[in-house]
Amino acid sequence: MNGVANLALARQSSVGQIAFIDLKAQQRLIRERIEERLKAVLDHGRYIAGPEIEELEAALVARTGAKAAVACASGTAALIIPLLARGVDTGDAVFIPSFTYNATANAVLLTGATPVFVEIDPVTFTMDAEDLERRIAEVRAEGRLRPRAIIPVDLFGTPANYPAINSIAAREGMFVVADAAQGFGGRLNGVEVGNLAPITATSFFPGKALGAYGDAGAILTQNPDDVEAWASIRWHGTDAARKESVRVGFNGRMDSFQAAVLLEKLAIFDDELAARKRVAAEYDARFSRIARPQGHHDGAESGHGYYSLCVDNRDAVTAYLGAQGVPTAIYYATPLHKMPAFEAYAPKGGLDVTERVADRIFALPMHPYLTPAQVAFICDNVEAAVTAAG
Ligand SMILES: *Cc1c(COP(=O)(O)O)cnc(C)c1O
């Protein structure tokens, strides 16, 4: 073997296998505590509505400063429940970005309302407030639908432009549900996600920054009066005694095992967030001149669920990285308005910024257990890939 190959091998072995998201390293750290928690559920046997649910809701309130939290079955349930509670229905227009996970649109359509896709800002990849205003005006002028709600998305963890969007909603007599499925742990001007809009939905899907070992989500609110209706809707619309249905609901509950896991993960969340911030800062410093990493609104701090950047020659760059052992992913190659299920709602003329970003974006490994050697290896290879790809 020649010297160059030896050097490459030595470097590779100090770097080891790079995971895109490393749930195994996290589990090794807290395995015993999670086992204790799961055993407690096995012992009390209240698999649904066990004491872990209220304990988690209290812990979420303590962590975020929200007025109340309602644990639910998924991030999707956390979006649907507040829409149903406000009576969102056929004839209502709900404004969402097209550059998001499909759940944002599914939540709207499952209520019977119509999604209206809004353009994104080219720097933060979150809802463009000026385009939102234009599209609300268009819907009003057309007169077919009633502008009812806005769902901004904290894409990849960065808070959307809530100051602008909340004031548009207030002026238009609409309400805002923040889709913070990726946003937990983010802040805007020092205010935690959970308090940036009147209502916030988040997801604890295993791959999110705070993830369960199955499906789970939560709704955070500034108004404790919301809780009664939400708790009812997540339990088939039943009354407080769960005797009869007083409204339409569904099975939107979180189970006790997921709450048990989340309690232990929440306990280490802030240490993990600090580690994510270190990785993101290193990436930003290395990539800001050679690529276009996601930017953040003034005063916004991302929860760094994912780290994405735009390059003009994405296929060549991701192929190069893959060959070097750096896993990548694409969120999202296809914006919602181009998917078969939602294309009936595509705006005439498409969405230029959204489509341009979707063609160029990719995500790098982002998790708290990346070693400095791995981060350096990833950065070196992104630099080499972008330069080689020209
Ligand atoms: C993950 C996600 C959801 C849905 O969360 P689930 O827990 O999978 O139902 C909704 N919106 C966005 C932006 C997401 O990333």
Side-chain angles (χ1 to χ4, degrees):
M1 252 194 282
N2 65 33
V4 175
N6 270 330
L7 194 67
L9 262 185
R11 194 176 181 211
Q12 185 65 56
S13 68
S14 77
V15 165
Q17 185 91 16
I18 298 175
F20 187 75
I21 292 174
D22 194 346
L23 295 177
K24 285 190 185 138
Q26 183 196 50
Q27 190 187 103
R28 279 193 294 275
L29 197 67
I30 54 174
R31 171 92 186 205
E32 277 177 29
R33 280 172 274 159
I34 286 183
E35 283 182 2
E36 286 308 309
R37 283 280 189 180
L38 296 178
K39 270 189 215 148
V41 177
L42 291 172
D43 288 343
H44 66 59
R46 292 176 59 197
Y47 308 117
I48 299 296
E52 291 79 10
I53 299 295
E54 283 186 9
E55 189 180 345
L56 177 66
E57 288 171 341
L60 290 171
V61 165
R63 170 61 182 74
T64 61
K67 297 287 188 305
V70 172
C72 39
S74 65
T76 310
L79 286 168
I80 292 175
I81 289 169
L83 297 178
L84 292 178
R86 294 282 185 114
V88 169
D89 204 346
T90 317
D92 289 335
V94 179
F95 295 76
I96 65 173
S98 173
F99 197 58
T100 175
Y101 187 55
N102 52 24
T104 317
N106 280 330
V108 172
L109 283 159
L110 286 169
T111 68
T114 300
V116 177
F117 291 117
V118 178
E119 190 55 285
I120 51 167
D121 171 82
V123 175
T124 66
F125 314 144
T126 64
M127 183 182 275
D128 179 331
E130 282 176 21
D131 191 62
L132 170 66
E133 283 188 296
R134 272 193 295 275
R135 289 181 198 274
I136 294 170
E138 269 170 30
V139 169
R140 287 210 192 282
E142 202 185 320
R144 193 171 53 88
L145 298 167
R146 179 164 66 132
R148 193 69 206 288
I150 305 164
I151 310 183
V153 176
D154 297 348
L155 202 74
F156 312 139
T158 204
N161 187 1
Y162 290 104
I165 293 168
N166 286 336
S167 71
I168 292 168
R171 202 169 62 228
E172 298 281 350
M174 300 166 71
F175 70 98
V176 176
V177 178
D179 181 346
Q182 302 174 10
F184 194 83
R187 302 205 292 179
L188 186 60
N189 300 322
V191 179
E192 293 283 339
V193 162
N195 308 277
L196 299 176
I199 300 168
T200 301
T202 194
S203 165
F204 304 125
F205 176 81
K208 311 276 164 137
L210 177 60
Y213 285 161
D215 282 308
I219 325 167
L220 303 164
T221 180
Q222 298 299 296
N223 180 4
D225 293 343
D226 287 330
V227 170
E228 190 202 335
W230 294 351
S232 164
I233 291 169
R234 82 174 161 182
W235 202 300
H236 302 287
T238 48
D239 57 33
R242 294 182 194 137
K243 289 233 157 46
E244 52 183 16
S245 286
V246 293
R247 53 170 69 76
V248 174
F250 64 107
N251 176 357
R253 300 178 296 250
M254 183 190 295
D255 68 71
S256 308
F257 281 117
Q258 301 311 328
V261 170
L262 284 165
L263 279 161
E264 291 306 326
K265 292 226 201 173
L266 188 56
I268 59 165
F269 181 81
D270 283 319
D271 290 341
E272 293 194 334
L273 181 57
R276 288 174 184 276
K277 280 184 196 291
R278 285 195 292 274
V279 175
E282 181 70 22
Y283 281 169
D284 281 346
R286 293 284 296 268
F287 305 148
S288 55
R289 260 173 294 120
I290 59 164
R292 295 183 298 289
Q294 180 184 34
H296 311 284
H297 281 291
D298 287 348
E301 294 168 63
S302 180
H304 298 295
Y306 304 89
Y307 187 94
S308 286
L309 64 168
C310 285
V311 293
D312 291 332
N313 202 346
R314 175 176 66 194
D315 291 351
V317 169
T318 54
Y320 181 100
L321 291 172
Q324 301 301 312
V326 176
T328 58
I330 299 177
Y331 310 117
Y332 299 93
T334 309
L336 301 189
H337 71 282
K338 299 204 141 190
M339 291 187 179
F342 312 119
E343 65 192 359
Y345 309 98
K348 275 191 234 83
L351 294 165
D352 284 349
V353 179
T354 297
E355 288 164 32
R356 216 170 343 116
V357 170
D359 285 343
R360 287 167 177 78
I361 201 156
F362 73 100
L364 287 172
M366 170 49 82
H367 61 79
Y369 304 97
L370 285 165
T371 64
Q374 288 178 328
V375 174
F377 181 80
I378 293 166
C379 289
D380 290 347
N381 278 286
V382 170
E383 251 167 34
V386 171
T387 315

